[in-house]
Amino acid sequence: MATSVPDSIQKPKHLLDVARVAVVGCGAVATRYHLPVLAGHEGFRLATFIDRDLARARELARQYGVPQVAEDVTALSPDTVDAAVVSTPAAFHAEVSLKLLAQGIHVFVEKPMAFTEQEARRMVETADENGVTLSVGLFRRLLPCTRLLRAVLDEERYGRPLRVDVEDGGTQGWAAATLGNMRREWAGGGVLMDMGSHILDRLVYLFPSTVELVEYRDNSQGGIESDCLVQLQWPHAAGPIEGRVELSRTRELRNTLRVECEQATLELRPSDRYQVHVLPGVGALTDTLSGTERGISESIGWADDREESWFEPFRAEFDDWLNAMRTGTSPQLSGLSSLRSVALIEECYRRREPLHEPIPLDQRVRLTTQTTPLNGHAGENEAGADQASPLHGVSTPLQRRLPEKILITGATGFIGCRLAEILSLREGVQVRALINNPGSAGRLARLPVEMVQANLRSPEDMRQVLQECDGVVHCAIGTSWKRREAWDVTVNGTRCVAAAAKSAGVKRFVHLSSIAIHGNDVQGVLDETTPIQPPRGDTYSESKTAAEKAVSHAARAGLSAVILRPTNVFGPFSKTFITRPVPALAAGQLCLVDAEDTPSNTIYVDNLVEAILAGLCLNTAVAPGEVFTIAEDDSPTWGAFYGYFAERMGRSYEVESAEGNAITRPRGGPLAWLSGLGRGMGEIALSAQSKALAQKILDTRPIGTFPRYCLDTYPGLERGLRNLLHMNEPEIYRRPAPSMAETVRIRPRNVRATSGKARRVLAYSPAVPRDRAMEVTWEWVKYARLV
């Protein structure tokens, strides 16, 4: 009788039929891409899920029918699995992979495979020593368009390559569950380590000759970079090829890879997997209909490629890995082939230089008076006539004292993040930043601040977060479009934070409210005495009013709270007044509705921060719960405000009269909601899509059998339904009118806000002159590619 032998010994590792695979790390990448592909792959069988969050692993195991879950890779052995996909946080990629490779388990590791070239080489050597396959998840290298571009460049079909230019960036962060990708100890770096791993690997593949790093700059201020710039160079017989790579987590960049050749520019775009776009060097043809010259574009692709699912790139990298396991050959995405990009990233960080950004983090402004740092400590912020702070120079009262450690809620937002920058970089104050969505923390993660993830509405979470903090600035609001959720965060969250701050003995609590609580119909001068009249049905105004009341209640119970009601805050990263309206202005889609000559009540974000610092000042006497309107007294009209940008772009804005054009502000209430619901349902019922769906139901057996029988039996019923749904009307095509859906309309309050009380009581004074604020904002608008 033959003796049975374990599978792992019975045949060599490279002769696997169906590989038993473990998934180590069940986060977003695994659940979105790896698991669907592996579960449907005939060459793999999901055997084990490993994750520190056992509840998540068990739920995924239930969904995919996986028999085993565990917390740690020590549960894995060659007797239970043949291969493992490592998609843990990046800090553990090398450590986990080395443990598995040493056991003789094949490894597919997500990018980056390691933080250093030395670690990566150990992984490659360990795989070779144990006769197993190490592959890296750099799927962009396998895309048909990437391989086509490589072939075109190798043959120099459009002449020799001259320059390479890559831009990749956006403001929509990855939907991460934790802050792991925003901490150096877990992520290894910022946007370069994350997005740059894919991009530099692609460039190393496209240009296989040795690459030279010319210069690397990023904007890290003690944390991890959100933006960086890499200058590269490749040798070529006819002269070096210049390379530029710009990456960002805070700006919407071009998001293409361009190779400028002698005869054309070749481009890879993010939405294309099969096409290389060819932008001719001389580029226009005459349109015979109009008689005008028009620019042309063309693209090339492999003749036998066909469009497939977006899962296909992930399938391709697993096919590559499995084929290498079965044949004993090296995979295309081998660990060895990935070493060069790992080494290049490591060299970038080693040679880092600061990146200039047109926002005043690196400006030097001469101070006009002797100042003392706001926290009362001497240091680099002491300034006389020839010294300046790293931000705007600010004349401040001597010996003004701030809390030593300050919690900022809503710290990833426009105001909260700028406050964190100024507190940590200029004032030297310890900042603890409360984060809701880790994916939006890219800009904040640059700073030397402590980031924590917690539930604003949890008393226990707030108790822990407030430990050792003696100051709080509450900026957080609910941003959900669902009224109940937004109200819960803004109102109940404020109530919870204020109660926890009182229990923790916080010395100063600054709450950011809004002039929106006064409503839209106020006129004249707006200050702290203006009645509070939030528009009915306006979730933002009503919830801010209720939140302010919650802070006032906590102040009456003993919390040292200051309530600030800022006007319209603008500056770099302002979505409401800059990032939406200014591009609309550039496109001719900005409209001022009865606003051209009304006060804009705009305040530059740094001047609001100065008011917050004044409110935090521990040696300024204020009554608990005292309220201050924060404004700039020299605020221009809306016409002058947007006219500044219009003049620089050579554009103009539209002007409308609310009455003359029958434009009215939307009103809330259940009747309006029901009316809108009825209109919407009617539009759906009469839409072409609904009619097509009804026809599909009738034509599908057996679901359409009974409805079809009823219509055939009762012809009057069919005629009635066709009339009701307008299905008997002849089809008529009318050219749609130019869409105005993107038009941004500014509807003002006809008031002028004043901050006289804040000047008297808090000694508040705007630090940045209006012309300087507008100049900085315009420079950032161009830097952010908004125009």
Side-chain angles (χ1 to χ4, degrees), residues 27 47 199 214 229 288 297 331 353 379 508 574 597 702:
I199 289 164
V214 177
L229 184 63
T288 56
S297 66
E353 295 289 337
R508 190 58 59 88
S574 166
D597 298 321

Side-chain angles (χ1 to χ4, degrees), residues 303 490 654:
T490 301
E654 297 292 326

Side-chain angles (χ1 to χ4, degrees), residues 390-722:
L391 296 170
H392 288 295
V394 179
S395 299
T396 57
L398 296 178
Q399 302 302 321
R400 192 161 73 177
R401 187 165 57 90
L402 293 174
E404 294 182 1
K405 189 167 189 176
I406 297 173
L407 172 70
I408 302 175
T409 70
T412 61
F414 163 47
I415 296 170
C417 189
R418 185 56 173 167
L419 173 65
E421 287 176 345
I422 291 177
L423 281 173
S424 60
L425 299 179
R426 187 183 78 188
E427 308 304 333
V429 172
Q430 296 181 66
V431 173
R432 180 174 288 168
L434 185 62
I435 311 297
N436 176 42
N437 175 17
S440 64
R443 180 174 167 230
L444 184 74
R446 304 159 33 248
L447 307 174
V449 302
E450 177 191 0
M451 295 184 295
V452 294
Q453 197 175 358
N455 184 351
L456 195 71
R457 293 155 288 175
S458 166
E460 177 57 25
D461 280 9
M462 288 303 98
R463 185 188 66 80
Q464 294 183 16
V465 166
L466 280 164
Q467 288 181 4
E468 302 175 353
C469 292
D470 53 349
V472 173
V473 180
H474 181 45
C475 304
I477 61 168
T479 56
S480 171
W481 62 272
K482 298 178 181 178
R483 177 179 172 88
R484 182 176 298 177
E485 292 181 9
W487 185 278
D488 191 28
V489 173
T490 301
V491 181
N492 297 331
T494 298
R495 189 175 291 118
C496 182
V497 175
K502 178 181 175 298
S503 297
V506 165
K507 296 176 182 178
R508 190 58 59 88
F509 184 102
V510 175
H511 171 70
L512 252 61
S513 186
S514 170
I515 63 167
I517 68 173
H518 298 296
N520 299 319
D521 300 323
V522 292
Q523 295 187 0
V525 176
L526 186 150
D527 61 15
E528 297 79 6
T529 65
T530 302
I532 295 175
Q533 296 175 329
R536 185 179 177 186
D538 185 325
T539 301
Y540 177 78
S541 301
E542 289 185 330
S543 63
K544 291 297 281 185
T545 301
E548 188 175 304
K549 290 179 180 177
V551 175
S552 297
H553 177 77
R556 289 193 295 273
L559 178 65
S560 179
V562 172
I563 297 171
L564 305 182
R565 295 175 185 162
T567 53
N568 302 318
V569 189
F570 79 97
F573 298 101
S574 166
K575 291 182 180 179
T576 304
F577 301 107
I578 299 298
T579 64
R580 286 186 67 247
V582 172
L585 174 61
Q589 293 181 315
L590 179 68
C591 182
L592 305 185
V593 183
D594 279 348
E596 188 174 27
D597 298 321
T598 57
S600 66
N601 293 304
T602 47
I603 178 173
Y604 186 55
V605 62
D606 284 18
N607 291 335
L608 172 59
V609 169
E610 288 303 319
I612 294 172
L613 298 183
L616 282 169
C617 181
L618 297 177
N619 50 348
T620 298
V622 290
E626 192 145 11
V627 177
F628 300 92
T629 301
I630 306 300
E632 291 181 17
D633 293 340
D634 61 348
S635 174
T637 63
W638 283 115
F641 182 79
Y642 286 116
Y644 176 91
F645 301 105
E647 181 181 353
R648 279 149 185 77
M649 293 186 287
R651 296 289 190 271
S652 60
Y653 52 77
E654 297 292 326
V655 177
E656 286 185 5
S657 166
E659 293 182 1
N661 289 278
I663 297 172
T664 58
R665 294 189 179 91
R667 297 292 180 181
L671 291 179
W673 183 86
L674 288 173
S675 175
L677 177 64
R679 286 194 302 273
M681 294 299 291
E683 290 176 7
I684 293 173
L686 297 177
S687 68
Q689 292 89 341
S690 292
K691 296 173 185 178
L693 175 61
Q695 189 65 54
K696 181 65 176 176
I697 291 173
L698 290 175
D699 294 341
T700 302
R701 295 179 181 274
I703 191 173
T705 302
F706 181 70
R708 170 60 67 186
Y709 169 79
C710 293
L711 295 176
D712 291 344
T713 305
Y714 305 101
L717 175 61
E718 182 174 2
R719 285 194 300 271
L721 286 174
R722 285 184 175 277

Side-chain angles (χ1 to χ4, degrees), residues 73 86-102 107 109-124 126 134 186 342:
V73 291
V86 178
S87 54
T88 63
F92 307 106
H93 285 177
E95 176 187 347
V96 170
S97 297
L98 285 167
K99 289 179 180 179
L100 297 170
L101 293 167
V107 169
V109 59
E110 261 302 326
K111 59 83 188 170
M113 64 182 292
F115 291 164
T116 67
E117 184 184 10
Q118 183 180 9
E119 281 184 325
R121 286 195 179 279
R122 281 182 57 209
M123 295 165 67
V124 172
T126 303
L134 171 64
W186 281 16
V342 173

Side-chain angles (χ1 to χ4, degrees), residues 120-184:
R121 286 195 179 279
R122 281 182 57 209
M123 295 165 67
V124 172
E125 292 166 359
T126 303
D128 290 343
E129 291 166 3
N130 290 276
V132 289
T133 300
L134 171 64
S135 193
V136 186
L138 295 162
F139 69 89
R140 295 189 191 185
R141 201 196 303 172
L142 299 182
L143 293 177
C145 61
T146 305
R147 291 181 280 124
L148 177 59
L149 180 57
R150 167 70 182 269
V152 169
L153 294 175
D154 284 351
E155 294 189 11
E156 297 192 353
R157 282 290 182 95
Y158 294 91
R160 72 179 183 90
L162 305 175
R163 279 171 289 278
V164 184
D165 189 88
V166 184
E167 288 189 7
D168 199 314
T171 57
Q172 299 300 318
W174 176 258
T178 71
L179 283 166
N181 211 34
M182 296 295 166
R183 289 176 170 152
R184 185 176 298 279

